[in-house]
Amino acid sequence: MREDFSEYKKVEEIAKKFTEAVKNGNSEIVKPYFHPNAVIFGQLDKNTTQEGTIRLFYDGIDKAGACSEDYVKRIDIITLEKSVAIVRIIEDNWHGYNFTDFLTLAKLNGEWKIVAKAYDTLSYQE
């Protein structure tokens, strides 16, 4: 049996908090939605790989600060099952980068939490 559509709304709201934090350069907006042991993996460019705790993400957006007005994003819920969801977030014009983020969420104790963030920027670089 497929999950109630209200679960999609909950996951979408978390993804919106993620993009709000990214746009404003303020990790405090999204921290409550990450699991404390969440991880990150991605290549910012050909020479810079991020891998480790989600603290790398927090530090990165806080240091970069708010985006310009040309920042745009799109949120797609790829799949949502009873206890796991995958969200794709396409972001253009984040401080000169274009991202595709994949967030893995797990439903733990009745609450959705982001447990992993993987991203791609290399597809958009020359």
Side-chain angles (χ1 to χ4, degrees), residues 76-121:
D76 298 308
I77 298 174
I78 304 300
T79 190
L80 188 147
E81 303 301 332
K82 182 123 341 251
S83 64
V84 69
I86 306 291
V87 175
R88 177 181 63 191
I89 301 174
I90 299 169
E91 299 168 285
D92 285 353
N93 305 317
W94 183 83
H95 300 287
Y97 290 94
N98 295 328
F99 281 85
T100 300
D101 287 313
F102 293 94
L103 304 180
T104 302
L105 291 85
K107 193 171 187 183
L108 306 164
N109 301 317
E111 286 188 275
W112 289 102
K113 294 289 183 177
I114 304 168
V115 296
K117 170 188 165 17
Y119 67 86
D120 174 60
T121 62

Side-chain angles (χ1 to χ4, degrees), residues 4-21:
D4 185 289
F5 281 113
S6 66
E7 293 300 308
Y8 287 86
K9 185 71 172 161
K10 291 174 189 176
V11 167
E12 182 181 33
E13 288 304 314
I14 292 171
K16 286 179 181 178
K17 287 294 184 183
F18 176 90
T19 60
E20 179 184 347

Side-chain angles (χ1 to χ4, degrees), residues 22-36:
V22 168
K23 181 176 181 173
N24 291 298
N26 183 353
S27 67
E28 294 300 320
I29 295 168
V30 75
K31 278 183 185 178
Y33 304 99
F34 275 94
H35 186 276

